[in-house]
Amino acid sequence: MQDVVLALLAKEPSHGYELRARLQHALGPLGDALNAGQVYVTLGRLEKAGLVAAQRVGQTDRPDRKVYELTAAGQDRVTAWLAEVGWAKPVSAKFHLKLVAVAAAGLADPVAIVDAQRRELLRQLGDLQGAALAEPDGSSAALLLEGAVLRLQADLRWLEACARHWEREERA
Amino acid sequence: MTANAVLRAAGLRKEYGRGAALVRAVDGVDLDVAAGEAVAIVGASGCGKSTLLHLLGGLERASGGELSMAGERFDTMSETRLARLRRNAIGFVFQGFHLVDELTAAENVELPALLAGVSPRAARRRAADLLERVGLADRSRHLPSALSGGQRQRVAVARALVNRPLVVLADEPTGNLDSTATTDVLRLFDGLRRNGHTLVIVTHDSRIAATSDRLITMRDGAFVDETRLGGGARRLGSLAGLGG
């Protein structure tokens, strides 16, 4: 979240409310969990770390608001973040090991565990896809939702392979 | 048994071959499809889901079990009566579209209505309305060869609806389509579901399966799992993984 907020400030100095609005626009339906506090807490931490500087701007009919801008250290951190190639882990080793352990100990039916997992992913896919179909063409939120849908499709195909494998093992 | 089941199968079986070569393609399936319900049947290729759809649509005869449409048994019907039931009560959508190449989009949609005895003028009006609904009003005079895959499938969906069927059966409707065309067809099926059409879709595409109300998994000719979708109003943001 810190990196995201810093990168958003690279365009121009901004205040918390506007940053949150830009985040929500980019996330679309996936921005519903983003509360106002999260952005303000992040800005506070960044200020303490010397990555952003805040300036109070008076408003006639409301309390002053703080406008944040990147410091030189903040600029460096944004540049470093752009060069990062970190990614969510593609291997679900934990789930695989759960099935191996369950089958070895005879604790439960691995195929039933695969089915339960598949039901959960299908429900997620249904929700995400419903949101994706409701987005107008070409929105940036639609692009994000497409990524989520493609990923879930791949995971579901892998679960199908898991089911086939553990069914064969059971028969053997 | 559900009181308002439109389509019902009980102990449905389909076997091919005999002796050691016996294949149980559909092996004791029970299914109630309620009015306005969208059911997806998923499974790997060879699990029997296409055979099941053919049995449900009266395109193939079952080896055993019962089938009924709006309370009327049709596994025991004569070929003539079964053909009429297929024409009037069931709309089919296939992976390969199955449009008549020599007829325009509008003529393809009109054809089943004309065969069912609807007047040419009424058939024309229905076709125009349906092509508008699937977003192809401006393509009605095009031959299938002048349409993209996604557009052809949308014509096929319009055709499936022209006789106002009790149920629409779809076999891999996105199977031959690229990603953009798949999205168009997904939107269309999602719209049909919202408008209260009764749908049974067999597919290995989890995306189209996820537009259904109920998702059934099939393995080795039998139903092994069932999931209801769209029940809880999940906060999608919890899936985004944006930590503090």
Side-chain angles (χ1 to χ4, degrees), chain A residues 1 27 29-30 32-33 38 111 115 118-120 122-129 131 133 135 137 149 153 156 160 163 167 171, chain B residues 44 179 183 186-187 190 205-207 210-211 215 217 219-220 225-230 234-240 242-244:
Chain A
M1 191 66 172
L27 293 169
L30 290 167
D32 64 3
Q38 230 175 320
V111 178
D115 284 338
R118 201 204 1 238
R119 282 194 290 272
E120 170 58 20
L122 283 167
R123 277 191 289 265
Q124 291 184 9
L125 182 64
D127 292 347
L128 286 164
Q129 185 156 265
L133 293 177
E135 281 292 309
D137 279 339
V149 165
Q153 274 185 283
L156 283 161
E160 195 50 49
E167 273 194 339
R171 280 189 207 141
Chain B
S179 168
T183 304
L186 287 177
R187 277 220 172 89
D190 196 45
D205 180 350
S206 47
R207 286 180 71 193
T211 62
L215 198 154
T217 304
R219 272 184 215 129
D220 298 332
D225 199 43
E226 183 172 315
T227 312
R228 286 202 176 267
L229 300 175
R234 177 195 299 270
R235 280 173 71 94
L236 287 172
S238 64
L239 303 174
L242 273 178

Tab-separated table of all heavy atoms in Angstrom, chain A residues 1 27 29-30 32-33 38 111 115 118-120 122-129 131 133 135 137 149 153 156 160 163 167 171, chain B residues 44 179 183 186-187 190 205-207 210-211 215 217 219-220 225-230 234-240 242-244:
chain	number	residue	atom	x	y	z
A	1	MET	N	0.828	-1.210	0.000
A	1	MET	CA	0.000	0.000	0.000
A	1	MET	C	0.866	1.265	0.000
A	1	MET	O	0.570	2.215	-0.705
A	1	MET	CB	-0.889	-0.033	1.258
A	1	MET	CG	-1.972	1.011	1.233
A	1	MET	SD	-3.171	0.710	-0.075
A	1	MET	CE	-4.370	1.937	0.332
A	27	LEU	N	-9.564	0.552	-8.963
A	27	LEU	CA	-9.907	-0.789	-8.481
A	27	LEU	C	-11.332	-1.186	-8.823
A	27	LEU	O	-11.662	-2.372	-8.858
A	27	LEU	CB	-9.706	-0.877	-6.969
A	27	LEU	CG	-8.260	-0.780	-6.465
A	27	LEU	CD1	-8.242	-0.618	-4.957
A	27	LEU	CD2	-7.468	-2.016	-6.870
A	29	PRO	N	-14.958	-2.396	-8.529
A	29	PRO	CA	-15.638	-3.147	-7.467
A	29	PRO	C	-14.661	-3.744	-6.449
A	29	PRO	O	-15.055	-4.082	-5.337
A	29	PRO	CB	-16.379	-4.257	-8.211
A	29	PRO	CG	-16.112	-4.075	-9.650
A	29	PRO	CD	-15.207	-2.913	-9.872
A	30	LEU	N	-13.395	-3.899	-6.833
A	30	LEU	CA	-12.417	-4.456	-5.895
A	30	LEU	C	-11.947	-3.409	-4.882
A	30	LEU	O	-11.198	-3.714	-3.972
A	30	LEU	CB	-11.212	-5.011	-6.651
A	30	LEU	CG	-11.501	-6.290	-7.452
A	30	LEU	CD1	-10.378	-6.597	-8.416
A	30	LEU	CD2	-11.715	-7.472	-6.523
A	32	ASP	N	-13.914	-1.895	-2.818
A	32	ASP	CA	-14.922	-1.721	-1.764
A	32	ASP	C	-14.364	-1.937	-0.363
A	32	ASP	O	-14.959	-1.506	0.618
A	32	ASP	CB	-16.163	-2.595	-2.023
A	32	ASP	CG	-15.852	-4.086	-1.970
A	32	ASP	OD1	-14.695	-4.447	-1.674
A	32	ASP	OD2	-16.768	-4.880	-2.224
A	33	ALA	N	-13.203	-2.610	-0.275
A	33	ALA	CA	-12.647	-2.875	1.060
A	33	ALA	C	-11.720	-1.753	1.517
A	33	ALA	O	-11.201	-1.764	2.625
A	33	ALA	CB	-11.874	-4.196	1.054
A	38	GLN	N	-7.345	3.743	5.907
A	38	GLN	CA	-6.171	3.046	5.370
A	38	GLN	C	-5.232	4.011	4.640
A	38	GLN	O	-4.022	3.947	4.804
A	38	GLN	CB	-6.641	1.978	4.388
A	38	GLN	CG	-6.045	0.609	4.647
A	38	GLN	CD	-6.668	-0.417	3.710
A	38	GLN	OE1	-7.870	-0.386	3.458
A	38	GLN	NE2	-5.859	-1.315	3.197
A	111	VAL	N	-10.015	-36.203	-2.394
A	111	VAL	CA	-10.895	-35.716	-3.466
A	111	VAL	C	-11.977	-34.799	-2.879
A	111	VAL	O	-12.350	-33.783	-3.481
A	111	VAL	CB	-11.529	-36.895	-4.242
A	111	VAL	CG1	-12.482	-36.374	-5.315
A	111	VAL	CG2	-10.434	-37.743	-4.879
A	115	ASP	N	-12.718	-30.987	-3.866
A	115	ASP	CA	-14.055	-30.512	-4.238
A	115	ASP	C	-14.469	-29.294	-3.417
A	115	ASP	O	-15.060	-28.350	-3.939
A	115	ASP	CB	-15.091	-31.632	-4.071
A	115	ASP	CG	-14.999	-32.657	-5.212
A	115	ASP	OD1	-14.472	-32.301	-6.282
A	115	ASP	OD2	-15.449	-33.799	-5.020
A	118	ARG	N	-12.635	-26.407	-4.699
A	118	ARG	CA	-13.153	-25.987	-5.990
A	118	ARG	C	-14.444	-25.184	-5.835
A	118	ARG	O	-14.659	-24.185	-6.515
A	118	ARG	CB	-13.395	-27.191	-6.892
A	118	ARG	CG	-13.411	-26.729	-8.328
A	118	ARG	CD	-14.149	-27.592	-9.287
A	118	ARG	NE	-14.744	-28.714	-8.665
A	118	ARG	CZ	-14.484	-29.943	-9.011
A	118	ARG	NH1	-13.608	-30.161	-9.945
A	118	ARG	NH2	-15.112	-30.916	-8.423
A	119	ARG	N	-15.298	-25.634	-4.905
A	119	ARG	CA	-16.540	-24.887	-4.671
A	119	ARG	C	-16.234	-23.445	-4.280
A	119	ARG	O	-16.859	-22.519	-4.758
A	119	ARG	CB	-17.378	-25.567	-3.573
A	119	ARG	CG	-18.125	-26.785	-4.066
A	119	ARG	CD	-19.195	-27.204	-3.059
A	119	ARG	NE	-18.603	-27.765	-1.845
A	119	ARG	CZ	-18.306	-29.042	-1.690
A	119	ARG	NH1	-18.545	-29.907	-2.659
A	119	ARG	NH2	-17.775	-29.476	-0.572
A	120	GLU	N	-15.237	-23.279	-3.391
A	120	GLU	CA	-14.874	-21.930	-2.954
A	120	GLU	C	-14.365	-21.093	-4.127
A	120	GLU	O	-14.767	-19.947	-4.313
A	120	GLU	CB	-13.828	-22.018	-1.836
A	120	GLU	CG	-13.185	-20.699	-1.433
A	120	GLU	CD	-14.193	-19.645	-0.958
A	120	GLU	OE1	-15.328	-20.009	-0.576
A	120	GLU	OE2	-13.835	-18.451	-0.998
A	122	LEU	N	-14.951	-21.522	-7.304
A	122	LEU	CA	-16.041	-21.265	-8.256
A	122	LEU	C	-16.930	-20.128	-7.778
A	122	LEU	O	-17.392	-19.311	-8.575
A	122	LEU	CB	-16.869	-22.531	-8.473
A	122	LEU	CG	-16.218	-23.575	-9.377
A	122	LEU	CD1	-16.938	-24.902	-9.279
A	122	LEU	CD2	-16.188	-23.100	-10.832
A	123	ARG	N	-17.167	-20.085	-6.470
A	123	ARG	CA	-17.969	-18.966	-5.934
A	123	ARG	C	-17.238	-17.646	-6.146
A	123	ARG	O	-17.842	-16.658	-6.539
A	123	ARG	CB	-18.298	-19.194	-4.454
A	123	ARG	CG	-19.511	-20.106	-4.260
A	123	ARG	CD	-19.972	-20.101	-2.804
A	123	ARG	NE	-19.013	-20.817	-1.960
A	123	ARG	CZ	-19.126	-22.100	-1.624
A	123	ARG	NH1	-20.154	-22.800	-2.046
A	123	ARG	NH2	-18.231	-22.668	-0.869
A	124	GLN	N	-15.922	-17.659	-5.904
A	124	GLN	CA	-15.140	-16.439	-6.150
A	124	GLN	C	-15.198	-16.056	-7.624
A	124	GLN	O	-15.366	-14.888	-7.968
A	124	GLN	CB	-13.680	-16.650	-5.738
A	124	GLN	CG	-13.484	-16.792	-4.238
A	124	GLN	CD	-12.009	-16.908	-3.861
A	124	GLN	OE1	-11.124	-16.730	-4.680
A	124	GLN	NE2	-11.754	-17.214	-2.601
A	125	LEU	N	-15.056	-17.072	-8.485
A	125	LEU	CA	-15.097	-16.809	-9.924
A	125	LEU	C	-16.449	-16.208	-10.321
A	125	LEU	O	-16.519	-15.257	-11.095
A	125	LEU	CB	-14.841	-18.108	-10.697
A	125	LEU	CG	-14.794	-17.996	-12.220
A	125	LEU	CD1	-13.634	-17.128	-12.672
A	125	LEU	CD2	-14.688	-19.374	-12.863
A	126	GLY	N	-17.523	-16.770	-9.763
A	126	GLY	CA	-18.860	-16.248	-10.070
A	126	GLY	C	-19.000	-14.788	-9.663
A	126	GLY	O	-19.495	-13.960	-10.430
A	127	ASP	N	-18.529	-14.466	-8.468
A	127	ASP	CA	-18.627	-13.084	-7.983
A	127	ASP	C	-17.778	-12.136	-8.829
A	127	ASP	O	-18.229	-11.064	-9.224
A	127	ASP	CB	-18.167	-13.002	-6.518
A	127	ASP	CG	-19.111	-13.722	-5.577
A	127	ASP	OD1	-20.225	-14.067	-6.018
A	127	ASP	OD2	-18.753	-13.945	-4.406
A	128	LEU	N	-16.533	-12.550	-9.092
A	128	LEU	CA	-15.625	-11.680	-9.854
A	128	LEU	C	-16.115	-11.507	-11.282
A	128	LEU	O	-16.048	-10.424	-11.852
A	128	LEU	CB	-14.209	-12.273	-9.860
A	128	LEU	CG	-13.456	-12.133	-8.542
A	128	LEU	CD1	-12.256	-13.062	-8.508
A	128	LEU	CD2	-12.992	-10.694	-8.342
A	129	GLN	N	-16.616	-12.598	-11.860
A	129	GLN	CA	-17.061	-12.503	-13.238
A	129	GLN	C	-18.324	-11.653	-13.359
A	129	GLN	O	-18.466	-10.885	-14.307
A	129	GLN	CB	-17.315	-13.872	-13.795
A	129	GLN	CG	-17.659	-13.752	-15.239
A	129	GLN	CD	-17.361	-15.027	-15.919
A	129	GLN	OE1	-16.306	-15.188	-16.482
A	129	GLN	NE2	-18.285	-15.931	-15.810
A	131	ALA	N	-19.003	-9.150	-11.520
A	131	ALA	CA	-18.507	-7.773	-11.459
A	131	ALA	C	-17.848	-7.376	-12.773
A	131	ALA	O	-18.028	-6.259	-13.261
A	131	ALA	CB	-17.514	-7.627	-10.304
A	133	LEU	N	-18.481	-8.505	-15.813
A	133	LEU	CA	-19.461	-8.312	-16.884
A	133	LEU	C	-20.219	-7.002	-16.709
A	133	LEU	O	-20.727	-6.442	-17.667
A	133	LEU	CB	-20.441	-9.487	-16.936
A	133	LEU	CG	-19.854	-10.834	-17.364
A	133	LEU	CD1	-20.906	-11.929	-17.309
A	133	LEU	CD2	-19.252	-10.767	-18.748
A	135	GLU	N	-18.834	-4.222	-15.659
A	135	GLU	CA	-17.949	-3.081	-15.943
A	135	GLU	C	-18.076	-2.652	-17.398
A	135	GLU	O	-18.214	-3.496	-18.275
A	135	GLU	CB	-16.484	-3.479	-15.695
A	135	GLU	CG	-16.069	-3.468	-14.246
A	135	GLU	CD	-16.036	-2.074	-13.643
A	135	GLU	OE1	-15.416	-1.180	-14.239
A	135	GLU	OE2	-16.646	-1.888	-12.585
A	137	ASP	N	-16.771	-1.575	-21.084
A	137	ASP	CA	-15.588	-2.002	-21.845
A	137	ASP	C	-14.462	-1.004	-21.667
A	137	ASP	O	-14.683	0.198	-21.659
A	137	ASP	CB	-15.933	-2.103	-23.341
A	137	ASP	CG	-16.633	-3.414	-23.650
A	137	ASP	OD1	-16.483	-4.357	-22.850
A	137	ASP	OD2	-17.332	-3.484	-24.667
A	149	VAL	N	-9.960	-13.330	-12.973
A	149	VAL	CA	-10.740	-14.421	-13.573
A	149	VAL	C	-9.817	-15.434	-14.251
A	149	VAL	O	-9.976	-16.649	-14.081
A	149	VAL	CB	-11.772	-13.835	-14.579
A	149	VAL	CG1	-12.336	-14.928	-15.474
A	149	VAL	CG2	-12.901	-13.131	-13.824
A	153	GLN	N	-9.353	-19.373	-13.237
A	153	GLN	CA	-9.569	-20.434	-14.232
A	153	GLN	C	-8.404	-21.415	-14.230
A	153	GLN	O	-8.611	-22.625	-14.278
A	153	GLN	CB	-9.668	-19.825	-15.632
A	153	GLN	CG	-11.033	-19.345	-16.020
A	153	GLN	CD	-11.016	-18.887	-17.461
A	153	GLN	OE1	-10.540	-17.808	-17.764
A	153	GLN	NE2	-11.499	-19.718	-18.353
A	156	LEU	N	-8.521	-23.538	-11.133
A	156	LEU	CA	-9.580	-24.545	-11.229
A	156	LEU	C	-9.156	-25.714	-12.112
A	156	LEU	O	-9.496	-26.866	-11.834
A	156	LEU	CB	-10.867	-23.904	-11.768
A	156	LEU	CG	-11.626	-23.073	-10.720
A	156	LEU	CD1	-12.606	-22.113	-11.391
A	156	LEU	CD2	-12.359	-23.991	-9.745
A	160	GLU	N	-8.772	-29.662	-11.006
A	160	GLU	CA	-9.330	-30.787	-11.764
A	160	GLU	C	-8.256	-31.880	-11.918
A	160	GLU	O	-8.533	-33.069	-11.752
A	160	GLU	CB	-9.820	-30.279	-13.124
A	160	GLU	CG	-10.730	-31.228	-13.871
A	160	GLU	CD	-11.880	-31.770	-13.029
A	160	GLU	OE1	-12.591	-31.001	-12.350
A	160	GLU	OE2	-12.058	-33.006	-13.052
A	163	ALA	N	-7.925	-33.658	-8.652
A	163	ALA	CA	-9.022	-34.610	-8.435
A	163	ALA	C	-8.754	-35.912	-9.197
A	163	ALA	O	-8.926	-37.000	-8.648
A	163	ALA	CB	-10.355	-33.992	-8.867
A	167	GLU	N	-8.094	-39.500	-7.355
A	167	GLU	CA	-9.060	-40.571	-7.639
A	167	GLU	C	-8.349	-41.834	-8.101
A	167	GLU	O	-8.701	-42.938	-7.694
A	167	GLU	CB	-10.046	-40.117	-8.724
A	167	GLU	CG	-11.227	-39.391	-8.138
A	167	GLU	CD	-12.349	-39.234	-9.140
A	167	GLU	OE1	-12.087	-39.321	-10.362
A	167	GLU	OE2	-13.475	-39.012	-8.693
A	171	ARG	N	-8.147	-45.606	-6.211
A	171	ARG	CA	-8.528	-46.862	-6.855
A	171	ARG	C	-7.399	-47.877	-6.804
A	171	ARG	O	-7.637	-49.069	-6.753
A	171	ARG	CB	-8.909	-46.606	-8.307
A	171	ARG	CG	-10.325	-46.072	-8.425
A	171	ARG	CD	-10.738	-46.029	-9.868
A	171	ARG	NE	-11.739	-44.983	-10.035
A	171	ARG	CZ	-11.797	-44.182	-11.084
A	171	ARG	NH1	-10.903	-44.293	-12.042
A	171	ARG	NH2	-12.718	-43.271	-11.169
B	44	ALA	N	-14.418	-32.893	-17.171
B	44	ALA	CA	-13.405	-33.080	-18.207
B	44	ALA	C	-14.053	-33.707	-19.440
B	44	ALA	O	-15.142	-34.294	-19.345
B	44	ALA	CB	-12.300	-33.978	-17.672
B	179	SER	N	-11.180	-14.961	-26.725
B	179	SER	CA	-11.501	-14.374	-25.430
B	179	SER	C	-12.555	-13.257	-25.521
B	179	SER	O	-13.492	-13.212	-24.718
B	179	SER	CB	-10.214	-13.850	-24.804
B	179	SER	OG	-10.495	-13.047	-23.712
B	183	THR	N	-16.452	-13.286	-24.029
B	183	THR	CA	-17.046	-12.297	-23.132
B	183	THR	C	-18.426	-11.871	-23.631
B	183	THR	O	-19.367	-11.748	-22.851
B	183	THR	CB	-16.117	-11.075	-22.999
B	183	THR	OG1	-14.843	-11.535	-22.569
B	183	THR	CG2	-16.659	-10.074	-21.996
B	186	LEU	N	-20.757	-14.675	-22.857
B	186	LEU	CA	-20.985	-14.717	-21.408
B	186	LEU	C	-22.015	-13.678	-21.000
B	186	LEU	O	-22.932	-13.955	-20.227
B	186	LEU	CB	-19.690	-14.419	-20.647
B	186	LEU	CG	-18.619	-15.485	-20.622
B	186	LEU	CD1	-17.397	-14.978	-19.880
B	186	LEU	CD2	-19.146	-16.723	-19.952
B	187	ARG	N	-21.853	-12.455	-21.533
B	187	ARG	CA	-22.811	-11.372	-21.234
B	187	ARG	C	-24.215	-11.788	-21.645
B	187	ARG	O	-25.181	-11.565	-20.929
B	187	ARG	CB	-22.442	-10.110	-22.019
B	187	ARG	CG	-21.391	-9.277	-21.376
B	187	ARG	CD	-21.682	-7.770	-21.497
B	187	ARG	NE	-20.708	-7.066	-20.673
B	187	ARG	CZ	-19.510	-6.676	-21.147
B	187	ARG	NH1	-19.206	-6.849	-22.415
B	187	ARG	NH2	-18.653	-6.102	-20.340
B	190	ASP	N	-25.547	-14.460	-19.304
B	190	ASP	CA	-25.828	-13.818	-18.019
B	190	ASP	C	-27.151	-13.038	-18.117
B	190	ASP	O	-27.967	-13.073	-17.201
B	190	ASP	CB	-24.664	-12.877	-17.666
B	190	ASP	CG	-24.688	-12.473	-16.206
B	190	ASP	OD1	-24.890	-13.368	-15.360
B	190	ASP	OD2	-24.531	-11.274	-15.916
B	205	ASP	N	-15.620	-24.857	-19.709
B	205	ASP	CA	-15.165	-23.483	-19.503
B	205	ASP	C	-15.733	-22.973	-18.176
B	205	ASP	O	-16.928	-22.738	-18.048
B	205	ASP	CB	-15.665	-22.632	-20.685
B	205	ASP	CG	-15.250	-21.169	-20.567
B	205	ASP	OD1	-14.745	-20.766	-19.498
B	205	ASP	OD2	-15.444	-20.430	-21.544
B	206	SER	N	-14.841	-22.813	-17.189
B	206	SER	CA	-15.333	-22.424	-15.860
B	206	SER	C	-15.942	-21.028	-15.885
B	206	SER	O	-16.756	-20.688	-15.023
B	206	SER	CB	-14.213	-22.503	-14.821
B	206	SER	OG	-13.038	-21.882	-15.299
B	207	ARG	N	-15.585	-20.201	-16.899
B	207	ARG	CA	-16.144	-18.849	-16.933
B	207	ARG	C	-17.642	-18.885	-17.208
B	207	ARG	O	-18.411	-18.209	-16.536
B	207	ARG	CB	-15.451	-18.010	-18.016
B	207	ARG	CG	-14.060	-17.594	-17.631
B	207	ARG	CD	-13.437	-16.780	-18.730
B	207	ARG	NE	-14.044	-15.463	-18.840
B	207	ARG	CZ	-13.858	-14.642	-19.872
B	207	ARG	NH1	-13.130	-15.018	-20.889
B	207	ARG	NH2	-14.411	-13.463	-19.878
B	210	ALA	N	-19.563	-20.261	-14.345
B	210	ALA	CA	-19.694	-19.347	-13.204
B	210	ALA	C	-20.824	-18.339	-13.377
B	210	ALA	O	-21.158	-17.628	-12.443
B	210	ALA	CB	-18.374	-18.612	-12.959
B	211	THR	N	-21.448	-18.273	-14.579
B	211	THR	CA	-22.603	-17.380	-14.727
B	211	THR	C	-23.900	-18.079	-14.314
B	211	THR	O	-24.963	-17.495	-14.419
B	211	THR	CB	-22.776	-16.900	-16.195
B	211	THR	OG1	-23.027	-18.038	-17.017
B	211	THR	CG2	-21.567	-16.152	-16.701
B	215	LEU	N	-24.078	-25.194	-10.095
B	215	LEU	CA	-23.012	-25.786	-10.897
B	215	LEU	C	-22.799	-27.231	-10.452
B	215	LEU	O	-22.561	-27.496	-9.276
B	215	LEU	CB	-21.749	-24.953	-10.662
B	215	LEU	CG	-20.623	-25.069	-11.650
B	215	LEU	CD1	-19.821	-23.790	-11.612
B	215	LEU	CD2	-19.746	-26.230	-11.277
B	217	THR	N	-20.785	-30.876	-10.968
B	217	THR	CA	-19.580	-31.491	-11.516
B	217	THR	C	-19.866	-32.947	-11.847
B	217	THR	O	-20.477	-33.666	-11.046
B	217	THR	CB	-18.422	-31.412	-10.508
B	217	THR	OG1	-18.226	-30.050	-10.156
B	217	THR	CG2	-17.133	-31.958	-11.116
B	219	ARG	N	-18.303	-36.668	-13.213
B	219	ARG	CA	-17.130	-37.515	-13.472
B	219	ARG	C	-17.606	-38.919	-13.781
B	219	ARG	O	-18.471	-39.433	-13.071
B	219	ARG	CB	-16.212	-37.569	-12.229
B	219	ARG	CG	-15.200	-36.458	-12.178
B	219	ARG	CD	-14.242	-36.607	-10.987
B	219	ARG	NE	-13.920	-35.285	-10.492
B	219	ARG	CZ	-14.000	-34.896	-9.225
B	219	ARG	NH1	-14.366	-35.742	-8.288
B	219	ARG	NH2	-13.706	-33.670	-8.891
B	220	ASP	N	-17.043	-39.515	-14.804
B	220	ASP	CA	-17.368	-40.895	-15.158
B	220	ASP	C	-18.870	-41.137	-15.239
B	220	ASP	O	-19.373	-42.133	-14.726
B	220	ASP	CB	-16.745	-41.873	-14.138
B	220	ASP	CG	-15.232	-41.785	-14.129
B	220	ASP	OD1	-14.669	-41.432	-15.177
B	220	ASP	OD2	-14.628	-42.050	-13.075
B	225	ASP	N	-20.592	-33.599	-7.506
B	225	ASP	CA	-20.506	-32.417	-6.660
B	225	ASP	C	-21.472	-31.358	-7.155
B	225	ASP	O	-21.794	-31.315	-8.335
B	225	ASP	CB	-19.072	-31.867	-6.671
B	225	ASP	CG	-18.806	-30.946	-5.497
B	225	ASP	OD1	-19.237	-31.288	-4.379
B	225	ASP	OD2	-18.186	-29.893	-5.689
B	226	GLU	N	-21.918	-30.504	-6.236
B	226	GLU	CA	-22.857	-29.455	-6.612
B	226	GLU	C	-22.562	-28.187	-5.828
B	226	GLU	O	-22.297	-28.238	-4.636
B	226	GLU	CB	-24.286	-29.925	-6.320
B	226	GLU	CG	-25.316	-28.922	-6.760
B	226	GLU	CD	-26.738	-29.463	-6.639
B	226	GLU	OE1	-26.976	-30.616	-7.047
B	226	GLU	OE2	-27.589	-28.723	-6.136
B	227	THR	N	-22.571	-27.039	-6.499
B	227	THR	CA	-22.275	-25.755	-5.864
B	227	THR	C	-23.339	-24.750	-6.252
B	227	THR	O	-23.694	-24.654	-7.420
B	227	THR	CB	-20.919	-25.195	-6.373
B	227	THR	OG1	-19.948	-26.219	-6.308
B	227	THR	CG2	-20.475	-24.009	-5.545
B	228	ARG	N	-23.852	-24.012	-5.268
B	228	ARG	CA	-24.757	-22.896	-5.583
B	228	ARG	C	-23.940	-21.621	-5.653
B	228	ARG	O	-23.115	-21.373	-4.793
B	228	ARG	CB	-25.851	-22.772	-4.528
B	228	ARG	CG	-26.854	-23.848	-4.676
B	228	ARG	CD	-28.200	-23.544	-4.053
B	228	ARG	NE	-29.075	-24.652	-4.374
B	228	ARG	CZ	-29.868	-24.681	-5.436
B	228	ARG	NH1	-29.930	-23.649	-6.250
B	228	ARG	NH2	-30.614	-25.740	-5.696
B	229	LEU	N	-24.194	-20.822	-6.673
B	229	LEU	CA	-23.392	-19.614	-6.878
B	229	LEU	C	-24.224	-18.368	-6.633
B	229	LEU	O	-25.451	-18.407	-6.675
B	229	LEU	CB	-22.851	-19.575	-8.309
B	229	LEU	CG	-21.953	-20.735	-8.714
B	229	LEU	CD1	-21.589	-20.622	-10.170
B	229	LEU	CD2	-20.708	-20.764	-7.865
B	230	GLY	N	-23.514	-17.259	-6.401
B	230	GLY	CA	-24.173	-15.961	-6.326
B	230	GLY	C	-25.048	-15.772	-5.110
B	230	GLY	O	-25.866	-14.868	-5.071
B	234	ARG	N	-20.513	-11.071	-1.295
B	234	ARG	CA	-19.136	-11.025	-0.832
B	234	ARG	C	-18.554	-9.640	-1.088
B	234	ARG	O	-18.838	-9.006	-2.088
B	234	ARG	CB	-18.368	-12.069	-1.621
B	234	ARG	CG	-16.892	-12.155	-1.350
B	234	ARG	CD	-16.255	-12.952	-2.472
B	234	ARG	NE	-16.776	-14.304	-2.549
B	234	ARG	CZ	-16.246	-15.320	-1.897
B	234	ARG	NH1	-15.214	-15.140	-1.125
B	234	ARG	NH2	-16.748	-16.519	-2.024
B	235	ARG	N	-17.743	-9.168	-0.172
B	235	ARG	CA	-17.007	-7.944	-0.459
B	235	ARG	C	-15.816	-8.309	-1.333
B	235	ARG	O	-14.892	-8.963	-0.897
B	235	ARG	CB	-16.552	-7.284	0.844
B	235	ARG	CG	-17.663	-6.490	1.524
B	235	ARG	CD	-17.212	-6.003	2.882
B	235	ARG	NE	-16.224	-4.944	2.760
B	235	ARG	CZ	-16.519	-3.646	2.771
B	235	ARG	NH1	-17.755	-3.270	2.882
B	235	ARG	NH2	-15.586	-2.742	2.668
B	236	LEU	N	-15.885	-7.903	-2.591
B	236	LEU	CA	-14.865	-8.319	-3.558
B	236	LEU	C	-13.472	-7.851	-3.150
B	236	LEU	O	-12.478	-8.495	-3.463
B	236	LEU	CB	-15.198	-7.783	-4.946
B	236	LEU	CG	-16.355	-8.468	-5.658
B	236	LEU	CD1	-16.704	-7.722	-6.935
B	236	LEU	CD2	-16.009	-9.901	-5.977
B	237	GLY	N	-13.417	-6.707	-2.449
B	237	GLY	CA	-12.125	-6.159	-2.063
B	237	GLY	C	-11.297	-7.138	-1.244
B	237	GLY	O	-10.066	-7.112	-1.278
B	238	SER	N	-12.000	-8.057	-0.533
B	238	SER	CA	-11.268	-9.025	0.281
B	238	SER	C	-10.451	-9.963	-0.598
B	238	SER	O	-9.551	-10.642	-0.131
B	238	SER	CB	-12.243	-9.831	1.139
B	238	SER	OG	-13.088	-10.599	0.305
B	239	LEU	N	-10.762	-10.014	-1.903
B	239	LEU	CA	-10.015	-10.877	-2.815
B	239	LEU	C	-8.823	-10.159	-3.441
B	239	LEU	O	-8.003	-10.762	-4.110
B	239	LEU	CB	-10.933	-11.377	-3.943
B	239	LEU	CG	-12.180	-12.129	-3.503
B	239	LEU	CD1	-13.063	-12.439	-4.698
B	239	LEU	CD2	-11.805	-13.415	-2.784
B	240	ALA	N	-8.751	-8.829	-3.238
B	240	ALA	CA	-7.727	-8.053	-3.928
B	240	ALA	C	-6.366	-8.168	-3.257
B	240	ALA	O	-5.334	-7.935	-3.885
B	240	ALA	CB	-8.143	-6.589	-4.022
B	242	LEU	N	-4.905	-6.351	-0.997
B	242	LEU	CA	-4.163	-5.102	-0.786
B	242	LEU	C	-3.989	-4.891	0.715
B	242	LEU	O	-4.895	-4.411	1.388
B	242	LEU	CB	-4.939	-3.914	-1.358
B	242	LEU	CG	-4.729	-3.565	-2.834
B	242	LEU	CD1	-5.623	-2.415	-3.198
B	242	LEU	CD2	-3.287	-3.235	-3.120
B	243	GLY	N	-2.834	-5.254	1.231
B	243	GLY	CA	-2.586	-5.092	2.670
B	243	GLY	C	-2.273	-3.651	3.011
B	243	GLY	O	-2.187	-2.803	2.143
B	244	GLY	N	-2.100	-3.356	4.299
B	244	GLY	CA	-1.829	-1.986	4.726
B	244	GLY	C	-0.405	-1.539	4.495
B	244	GLY	O	0.307	-1.997	3.657
